[in-house]
Amino acid sequence: MKLFLGSILIIVAGFSVNKYVFSSKAYDGVSTVTDIISVYPVNMFDFKKTMEDYAHHLCYKNEATLNTQHITVNECLSQHENKKLECEKKVFRLAPLNLETEVEVLDYSRQYTQCTLPYKYILG
């Protein structure tokens, strides 16, 4: 029983470290989502996952800006989680299965982040 609980604890700890430490480092130096995407066309399913991770990155990256607006990083992340499905339907409902150009990627990225993270000065 102790071995089972220990294994679960190690798995959860590993997942948490991966999600909050290593994933945020993957976006260091990123100013727009097109810095992450290097191959076109972009599959819409991959793009949605990238946008979810990028929204989390924006919350962490803009912590000081959020604090001036009296918003915590956790509130930013919660806002994203609460609005994610609604915004995916709103922004991506008529989107093609593949985004062919950087302009399309930037447009959908802007729409999604403005919908899920409607805070001043957080983008960028």
Side-chain angles (χ1 to χ4, degrees), residues 25-62:
K25 290 190 184 294
Y27 292 98
D28 285 348
V30 170
S31 59
T32 65
V33 75
T34 55
D35 294 341
I36 304 161
I37 297 171
S38 59
V39 178
Y40 292 91
V42 179
N43 177 295
M44 185 53 69
F45 300 107
D46 295 337
F47 182 69
K48 286 180 184 178
K49 175 63 177 142
T50 300
M51 287 309 304
E52 181 179 343
D53 293 343
Y54 186 63
H56 286 221
H57 164 72
L58 287 175
C59 288
Y60 288 113
K61 176 185 170 194
N62 293 290

mmCIF file of all heavy atoms in Angstrom, residues 25-62:
data_model
loop_
_atom_site.group_PDB
_atom_site.id
_atom_site.type_symbol
_atom_site.label_atom_id
_atom_site.label_comp_id
_atom_site.label_asym_id
_atom_site.label_seq_id
_atom_site.Cartn_x
_atom_site.Cartn_y
_atom_site.Cartn_z
ATOM 1 N N LYS A 25 9.545 27.195 -19.359
ATOM 2 C CA LYS A 25 10.852 27.488 -19.959
ATOM 3 C C LYS A 25 10.818 27.333 -21.475
ATOM 4 O O LYS A 25 11.574 27.976 -22.174
ATOM 5 C CB LYS A 25 11.923 26.585 -19.361
ATOM 6 C CG LYS A 25 12.229 26.924 -17.910
ATOM 7 C CD LYS A 25 13.442 26.189 -17.446
ATOM 8 C CE LYS A 25 13.701 26.426 -15.987
ATOM 9 N NZ LYS A 25 14.046 27.752 -15.618
ATOM 10 N N ALA A 26 9.917 26.508 -21.985
ATOM 11 C CA ALA A 26 9.814 26.311 -23.432
ATOM 12 C C ALA A 26 9.387 27.592 -24.129
ATOM 13 O O ALA A 26 9.657 27.773 -25.304
ATOM 14 C CB ALA A 26 8.825 25.195 -23.748
ATOM 15 N N TYR A 27 8.762 28.505 -23.396
ATOM 16 C CA TYR A 27 8.267 29.732 -23.983
ATOM 17 C C TYR A 27 9.119 30.943 -23.635
ATOM 18 O O TYR A 27 8.751 32.060 -23.970
ATOM 19 C CB TYR A 27 6.815 29.971 -23.543
ATOM 20 C CG TYR A 27 5.864 28.959 -24.120
ATOM 21 C CD1 TYR A 27 5.450 27.865 -23.387
ATOM 22 C CD2 TYR A 27 5.406 29.092 -25.421
ATOM 23 C CE1 TYR A 27 4.583 26.933 -23.928
ATOM 24 C CE2 TYR A 27 4.541 28.167 -25.968
ATOM 25 C CZ TYR A 27 4.135 27.090 -25.213
ATOM 26 O OH TYR A 27 3.283 26.174 -25.763
ATOM 27 N N ASP A 28 10.253 30.756 -22.955
ATOM 28 C CA ASP A 28 11.137 31.881 -22.650
ATOM 29 C C ASP A 28 11.588 32.547 -23.939
ATOM 30 O O ASP A 28 11.968 31.890 -24.895
ATOM 31 C CB ASP A 28 12.367 31.422 -21.857
ATOM 32 C CG ASP A 28 12.039 31.120 -20.408
ATOM 33 O OD1 ASP A 28 10.926 31.473 -19.974
ATOM 34 O OD2 ASP A 28 12.890 30.533 -19.721
ATOM 35 N N GLY A 29 11.528 33.860 -23.977
ATOM 36 C CA GLY A 29 11.951 34.596 -25.158
ATOM 37 C C GLY A 29 10.915 34.648 -26.260
ATOM 38 O O GLY A 29 11.170 35.189 -27.327
ATOM 39 N N VAL A 30 9.733 34.118 -26.016
ATOM 40 C CA VAL A 30 8.669 34.104 -27.012
ATOM 41 C C VAL A 30 7.863 35.391 -26.885
ATOM 42 O O VAL A 30 7.420 35.750 -25.806
ATOM 43 C CB VAL A 30 7.747 32.882 -26.787
ATOM 44 C CG1 VAL A 30 6.513 32.957 -27.643
ATOM 45 C CG2 VAL A 30 8.506 31.602 -27.060
ATOM 46 N N SER A 31 7.705 36.108 -27.986
ATOM 47 C CA SER A 31 6.910 37.329 -27.933
ATOM 48 C C SER A 31 5.552 37.164 -28.613
ATOM 49 O O SER A 31 4.601 37.838 -28.267
ATOM 50 C CB SER A 31 7.672 38.496 -28.558
ATOM 51 O OG SER A 31 7.983 38.213 -29.890
ATOM 52 N N THR A 32 5.459 36.272 -29.575
ATOM 53 C CA THR A 32 4.164 35.945 -30.187
ATOM 54 C C THR A 32 4.122 34.440 -30.425
ATOM 55 O O THR A 32 5.156 33.768 -30.412
ATOM 56 C CB THR A 32 3.941 36.647 -31.545
ATOM 57 O OG1 THR A 32 4.899 36.145 -32.479
ATOM 58 C CG2 THR A 32 4.045 38.153 -31.428
ATOM 59 N N VAL A 33 2.945 33.940 -30.656
ATOM 60 C CA VAL A 33 2.784 32.503 -30.864
ATOM 61 C C VAL A 33 3.515 32.036 -32.125
ATOM 62 O O VAL A 33 3.902 30.878 -32.223
ATOM 63 C CB VAL A 33 1.285 32.119 -30.866
ATOM 64 C CG1 VAL A 33 0.620 32.529 -32.154
ATOM 65 C CG2 VAL A 33 1.096 30.645 -30.612
ATOM 66 N N THR A 34 3.757 32.911 -33.070
ATOM 67 C CA THR A 34 4.468 32.503 -34.287
ATOM 68 C C THR A 34 5.945 32.211 -34.012
ATOM 69 O O THR A 34 6.593 31.578 -34.834
ATOM 70 C CB THR A 34 4.354 33.562 -35.398
ATOM 71 O OG1 THR A 34 4.817 34.807 -34.900
ATOM 72 C CG2 THR A 34 2.928 33.684 -35.893
ATOM 73 N N ASP A 35 6.455 32.660 -32.864
ATOM 74 C CA ASP A 35 7.824 32.289 -32.488
ATOM 75 C C ASP A 35 7.912 30.805 -32.143
ATOM 76 O O ASP A 35 8.978 30.219 -32.206
ATOM 77 C CB ASP A 35 8.301 33.106 -31.285
ATOM 78 C CG ASP A 35 8.447 34.578 -31.594
ATOM 79 O OD1 ASP A 35 8.530 34.928 -32.791
ATOM 80 O OD2 ASP A 35 8.472 35.383 -30.648
ATOM 81 N N ILE A 36 6.790 30.216 -31.764
ATOM 82 C CA ILE A 36 6.746 28.805 -31.387
ATOM 83 C C ILE A 36 6.529 27.925 -32.609
ATOM 84 O O ILE A 36 7.089 26.847 -32.715
ATOM 85 C CB ILE A 36 5.588 28.564 -30.387
ATOM 86 C CG1 ILE A 36 5.736 29.466 -29.173
ATOM 87 C CG2 ILE A 36 5.506 27.117 -29.974
ATOM 88 C CD1 ILE A 36 4.446 29.634 -28.398
ATOM 89 N N ILE A 37 5.731 28.404 -33.528
ATOM 90 C CA ILE A 37 5.343 27.619 -34.711
ATOM 91 C C ILE A 37 6.333 27.879 -35.832
ATOM 92 O O ILE A 37 6.548 29.007 -36.229
ATOM 93 C CB ILE A 37 3.914 27.993 -35.149
ATOM 94 C CG1 ILE A 37 2.940 27.635 -34.034
ATOM 95 C CG2 ILE A 37 3.543 27.308 -36.451
ATOM 96 C CD1 ILE A 37 1.544 28.148 -34.233
ATOM 97 N N SER A 38 6.932 26.805 -36.314
ATOM 98 C CA SER A 38 7.942 26.982 -37.358
ATOM 99 C C SER A 38 7.585 26.285 -38.659
ATOM 100 O O SER A 38 8.223 26.523 -39.675
ATOM 101 C CB SER A 38 9.292 26.452 -36.856
ATOM 102 O OG SER A 38 9.181 25.092 -36.520
ATOM 103 N N VAL A 39 6.583 25.415 -38.634
ATOM 104 C CA VAL A 39 6.218 24.651 -39.834
ATOM 105 C C VAL A 39 4.754 24.924 -40.172
ATOM 106 O O VAL A 39 3.879 24.839 -39.309
ATOM 107 C CB VAL A 39 6.427 23.135 -39.589
ATOM 108 C CG1 VAL A 39 6.007 22.336 -40.805
ATOM 109 C CG2 VAL A 39 7.876 22.843 -39.231
ATOM 110 N N TYR A 40 4.527 25.265 -41.418
ATOM 111 C CA TYR A 40 3.160 25.511 -41.908
ATOM 112 C C TYR A 40 2.833 24.470 -42.956
ATOM 113 O O TYR A 40 3.728 24.019 -43.654
ATOM 114 C CB TYR A 40 3.056 26.923 -42.505
ATOM 115 C CG TYR A 40 3.187 27.990 -41.462
ATOM 116 C CD1 TYR A 40 4.428 28.532 -41.148
ATOM 117 C CD2 TYR A 40 2.079 28.451 -40.771
ATOM 118 C CE1 TYR A 40 4.558 29.500 -40.170
ATOM 119 C CE2 TYR A 40 2.200 29.427 -39.798
ATOM 120 C CZ TYR A 40 3.442 29.947 -39.499
ATOM 121 O OH TYR A 40 3.558 30.897 -38.527
ATOM 122 N N PRO A 41 1.612 24.054 -43.117
ATOM 123 C CA PRO A 41 0.404 24.462 -42.412
ATOM 124 C C PRO A 41 0.377 23.915 -40.987
ATOM 125 O O PRO A 41 1.008 22.909 -40.679
ATOM 126 C CB PRO A 41 -0.724 23.878 -43.247
ATOM 127 C CG PRO A 41 -0.129 22.700 -43.920
ATOM 128 C CD PRO A 41 1.327 23.038 -44.137
ATOM 129 N N VAL A 42 -0.388 24.574 -40.125
ATOM 130 C CA VAL A 42 -0.527 24.196 -38.727
ATOM 131 C C VAL A 42 -1.867 23.497 -38.543
ATOM 132 O O VAL A 42 -2.910 24.062 -38.868
ATOM 133 C CB VAL A 42 -0.464 25.446 -37.818
ATOM 134 C CG1 VAL A 42 -0.630 25.062 -36.367
ATOM 135 C CG2 VAL A 42 0.820 26.207 -38.047
ATOM 136 N N ASN A 43 -1.823 22.292 -38.037
ATOM 137 C CA ASN A 43 -3.025 21.522 -37.750
ATOM 138 C C ASN A 43 -3.797 22.225 -36.630
ATOM 139 O O ASN A 43 -3.220 22.626 -35.623
ATOM 140 C CB ASN A 43 -2.619 20.112 -37.323
ATOM 141 C CG ASN A 43 -3.795 19.263 -36.946
ATOM 142 O OD1 ASN A 43 -4.492 19.532 -35.982
ATOM 143 N ND2 ASN A 43 -3.989 18.210 -37.713
ATOM 144 N N MET A 44 -5.100 22.387 -36.783
ATOM 145 C CA MET A 44 -5.918 23.120 -35.816
ATOM 146 C C MET A 44 -5.895 22.484 -34.436
ATOM 147 O O MET A 44 -5.886 23.180 -33.421
ATOM 148 C CB MET A 44 -7.358 23.246 -36.328
ATOM 149 C CG MET A 44 -8.244 24.084 -35.442
ATOM 150 S SD MET A 44 -7.618 25.740 -35.047
ATOM 151 C CE MET A 44 -7.746 26.543 -36.619
ATOM 152 N N PHE A 45 -5.850 21.163 -34.351
ATOM 153 C CA PHE A 45 -5.831 20.497 -33.047
ATOM 154 C C PHE A 45 -4.526 20.804 -32.311
ATOM 155 O O PHE A 45 -4.530 21.083 -31.116
ATOM 156 C CB PHE A 45 -6.036 18.992 -33.211
ATOM 157 C CG PHE A 45 -7.354 18.664 -33.855
ATOM 158 C CD1 PHE A 45 -7.402 18.222 -35.168
ATOM 159 C CD2 PHE A 45 -8.546 18.834 -33.157
ATOM 160 C CE1 PHE A 45 -8.624 17.932 -35.764
ATOM 161 C CE2 PHE A 45 -9.768 18.551 -33.754
ATOM 162 C CZ PHE A 45 -9.804 18.097 -35.058
ATOM 163 N N ASP A 46 -3.401 20.787 -33.036
ATOM 164 C CA ASP A 46 -2.113 21.154 -32.436
ATOM 165 C C ASP A 46 -2.099 22.627 -32.051
ATOM 166 O O ASP A 46 -1.552 22.997 -31.016
ATOM 167 C CB ASP A 46 -0.962 20.867 -33.408
ATOM 168 C CG ASP A 46 -0.807 19.387 -33.706
ATOM 169 O OD1 ASP A 46 -1.253 18.559 -32.881
ATOM 170 O OD2 ASP A 46 -0.241 19.061 -34.765
ATOM 171 N N PHE A 47 -2.703 23.448 -32.881
ATOM 172 C CA PHE A 47 -2.739 24.882 -32.608
ATOM 173 C C PHE A 47 -3.527 25.186 -31.335
ATOM 174 O O PHE A 47 -3.112 26.017 -30.519
ATOM 175 C CB PHE A 47 -3.346 25.620 -33.800
ATOM 176 C CG PHE A 47 -3.372 27.106 -33.634
ATOM 177 C CD1 PHE A 47 -2.192 27.845 -33.638
ATOM 178 C CD2 PHE A 47 -4.569 27.772 -33.466
ATOM 179 C CE1 PHE A 47 -2.215 29.221 -33.484
ATOM 180 C CE2 PHE A 47 -4.601 29.152 -33.314
ATOM 181 C CZ PHE A 47 -3.415 29.876 -33.322
ATOM 182 N N LYS A 48 -4.645 24.500 -31.126
ATOM 183 C CA LYS A 48 -5.438 24.715 -29.907
ATOM 184 C C LYS A 48 -4.633 24.353 -28.666
ATOM 185 O O LYS A 48 -4.670 25.064 -27.664
ATOM 186 C CB LYS A 48 -6.723 23.897 -29.957
ATOM 187 C CG LYS A 48 -7.760 24.445 -30.902
ATOM 188 C CD LYS A 48 -8.997 23.562 -30.884
ATOM 189 C CE LYS A 48 -10.021 24.017 -31.890
ATOM 190 N NZ LYS A 48 -11.197 23.130 -31.893
ATOM 191 N N LYS A 49 -3.893 23.262 -28.709
ATOM 192 C CA LYS A 49 -3.054 22.859 -27.569
ATOM 193 C C LYS A 49 -1.958 23.890 -27.343
ATOM 194 O O LYS A 49 -1.673 24.276 -26.203
ATOM 195 C CB LYS A 49 -2.462 21.467 -27.822
ATOM 196 C CG LYS A 49 -1.496 21.009 -26.768
ATOM 197 C CD LYS A 49 -2.151 20.866 -25.415
ATOM 198 C CE LYS A 49 -1.152 20.321 -24.405
ATOM 199 N NZ LYS A 49 -1.312 20.919 -23.091
ATOM 200 N N THR A 50 -1.345 24.351 -28.418
ATOM 201 C CA THR A 50 -0.311 25.378 -28.306
ATOM 202 C C THR A 50 -0.886 26.644 -27.688
ATOM 203 O O THR A 50 -0.264 27.271 -26.830
ATOM 204 C CB THR A 50 0.291 25.691 -29.697
ATOM 205 O OG1 THR A 50 0.873 24.494 -30.218
ATOM 206 C CG2 THR A 50 1.336 26.780 -29.617
ATOM 207 N N MET A 51 -2.086 27.024 -28.102
ATOM 208 C CA MET A 51 -2.710 28.231 -27.566
ATOM 209 C C MET A 51 -3.036 28.089 -26.084
ATOM 210 O O MET A 51 -2.905 29.044 -25.317
ATOM 211 C CB MET A 51 -3.967 28.591 -28.359
ATOM 212 C CG MET A 51 -3.675 29.149 -29.731
ATOM 213 S SD MET A 51 -2.475 30.512 -29.729
ATOM 214 C CE MET A 51 -3.226 31.668 -28.602
ATOM 215 N N GLU A 52 -3.439 26.913 -25.669
ATOM 216 C CA GLU A 52 -3.702 26.690 -24.246
ATOM 217 C C GLU A 52 -2.423 26.880 -23.429
ATOM 218 O O GLU A 52 -2.415 27.584 -22.423
ATOM 219 C CB GLU A 52 -4.262 25.287 -24.030
ATOM 220 C CG GLU A 52 -4.573 24.984 -22.589
ATOM 221 C CD GLU A 52 -5.164 23.595 -22.400
ATOM 222 O OE1 GLU A 52 -5.635 22.989 -23.370
ATOM 223 O OE2 GLU A 52 -5.138 23.135 -21.250
ATOM 224 N N ASP A 53 -1.327 26.268 -23.889
ATOM 225 C CA ASP A 53 -0.046 26.417 -23.199
ATOM 226 C C ASP A 53 0.442 27.864 -23.251
ATOM 227 O O ASP A 53 0.992 28.379 -22.274
ATOM 228 C CB ASP A 53 1.012 25.501 -23.832
ATOM 229 C CG ASP A 53 0.698 24.030 -23.619
ATOM 230 O OD1 ASP A 53 -0.121 23.697 -22.733
ATOM 231 O OD2 ASP A 53 1.271 23.200 -24.363
ATOM 232 N N TYR A 54 0.233 28.525 -24.371
ATOM 233 C CA TYR A 54 0.671 29.906 -24.534
ATOM 234 C C TYR A 54 -0.111 30.841 -23.605
ATOM 235 O O TYR A 54 0.449 31.776 -23.038
ATOM 236 C CB TYR A 54 0.519 30.339 -25.991
ATOM 237 C CG TYR A 54 1.085 31.701 -26.297
ATOM 238 C CD1 TYR A 54 2.446 31.940 -26.140
ATOM 239 C CD2 TYR A 54 0.280 32.734 -26.724
ATOM 240 C CE1 TYR A 54 2.984 33.191 -26.408
ATOM 241 C CE2 TYR A 54 0.806 33.981 -27.005
ATOM 242 C CZ TYR A 54 2.163 34.207 -26.839
ATOM 243 O OH TYR A 54 2.686 35.452 -27.104
ATOM 244 N N ALA A 55 -1.395 30.580 -23.418
ATOM 245 C CA ALA A 55 -2.196 31.396 -22.499
ATOM 246 C C ALA A 55 -1.670 31.251 -21.073
ATOM 247 O O ALA A 55 -1.567 32.249 -20.343
ATOM 248 C CB ALA A 55 -3.668 30.986 -22.577
ATOM 249 N N HIS A 56 -1.292 30.049 -20.681
ATOM 250 C CA HIS A 56 -0.692 29.851 -19.357
ATOM 251 C C HIS A 56 0.612 30.632 -19.255
ATOM 252 O O HIS A 56 0.880 31.277 -18.238
ATOM 253 C CB HIS A 56 -0.454 28.366 -19.105
ATOM 254 C CG HIS A 56 -1.700 27.608 -18.809
ATOM 255 N ND1 HIS A 56 -1.770 26.642 -17.848
ATOM 256 C CD2 HIS A 56 -2.943 27.673 -19.340
ATOM 257 C CE1 HIS A 56 -2.992 26.140 -17.793
ATOM 258 N NE2 HIS A 56 -3.716 26.759 -18.715
ATOM 259 N N HIS A 57 1.408 30.568 -20.312
ATOM 260 C CA HIS A 57 2.669 31.311 -20.344
ATOM 261 C C HIS A 57 2.425 32.808 -20.173
ATOM 262 O O HIS A 57 3.136 33.480 -19.433
ATOM 263 C CB HIS A 57 3.393 31.035 -21.666
ATOM 264 C CG HIS A 57 4.473 32.002 -21.991
ATOM 265 N ND1 HIS A 57 5.677 32.023 -21.319
ATOM 266 C CD2 HIS A 57 4.530 32.997 -22.904
ATOM 267 C CE1 HIS A 57 6.423 32.998 -21.818
ATOM 268 N NE2 HIS A 57 5.749 33.598 -22.778
ATOM 269 N N LEU A 58 1.423 33.339 -20.846
ATOM 270 C CA LEU A 58 1.121 34.768 -20.747
ATOM 271 C C LEU A 58 0.752 35.164 -19.321
ATOM 272 O O LEU A 58 1.128 36.242 -18.859
ATOM 273 C CB LEU A 58 -0.001 35.155 -21.708
ATOM 274 C CG LEU A 58 0.372 35.187 -23.184
ATOM 275 C CD1 LEU A 58 -0.868 35.467 -24.031
ATOM 276 C CD2 LEU A 58 1.440 36.224 -23.463
ATOM 277 N N CYS A 59 0.030 34.305 -18.622
ATOM 278 C CA CYS A 59 -0.329 34.608 -17.231
ATOM 279 C C CYS A 59 0.925 34.700 -16.364
ATOM 280 O O CYS A 59 1.053 35.625 -15.561
ATOM 281 C CB CYS A 59 -1.271 33.539 -16.673
ATOM 282 S SG CYS A 59 -2.948 33.607 -17.335
ATOM 283 N N TYR A 60 1.845 33.757 -16.528
ATOM 284 C CA TYR A 60 3.069 33.780 -15.731
ATOM 285 C C TYR A 60 3.998 34.921 -16.149
ATOM 286 O O TYR A 60 4.586 35.595 -15.310
ATOM 287 C CB TYR A 60 3.807 32.445 -15.836
ATOM 288 C CG TYR A 60 3.126 31.332 -15.095
ATOM 289 C CD1 TYR A 60 2.554 30.264 -15.774
ATOM 290 C CD2 TYR A 60 3.035 31.349 -13.710
ATOM 291 C CE1 TYR A 60 1.917 29.247 -15.092
ATOM 292 C CE2 TYR A 60 2.403 30.333 -13.019
ATOM 293 C CZ TYR A 60 1.851 29.277 -13.714
ATOM 294 O OH TYR A 60 1.219 28.267 -13.041
ATOM 295 N N LYS A 61 4.141 35.130 -17.448
ATOM 296 C CA LYS A 61 5.053 36.147 -17.967
ATOM 297 C C LYS A 61 4.625 37.555 -17.558
ATOM 298 O O LYS A 61 5.453 38.422 -17.331
ATOM 299 C CB LYS A 61 5.100 36.044 -19.495
ATOM 300 C CG LYS A 61 5.933 37.096 -20.169
ATOM 301 C CD LYS A 61 5.827 36.983 -21.682
ATOM 302 C CE LYS A 61 6.457 38.168 -22.352
ATOM 303 N NZ LYS A 61 6.097 38.274 -23.749
ATOM 304 N N ASN A 62 3.341 37.788 -17.467
ATOM 305 C CA ASN A 62 2.807 39.118 -17.180
ATOM 306 C C ASN A 62 2.348 39.269 -15.735
ATOM 307 O O ASN A 62 1.451 40.058 -15.446
ATOM 308 C CB ASN A 62 1.644 39.411 -18.133
ATOM 309 C CG ASN A 62 2.125 39.549 -19.550
ATOM 310 O OD1 ASN A 62 2.788 40.509 -19.897
ATOM 311 N ND2 ASN A 62 1.812 38.560 -20.379
#
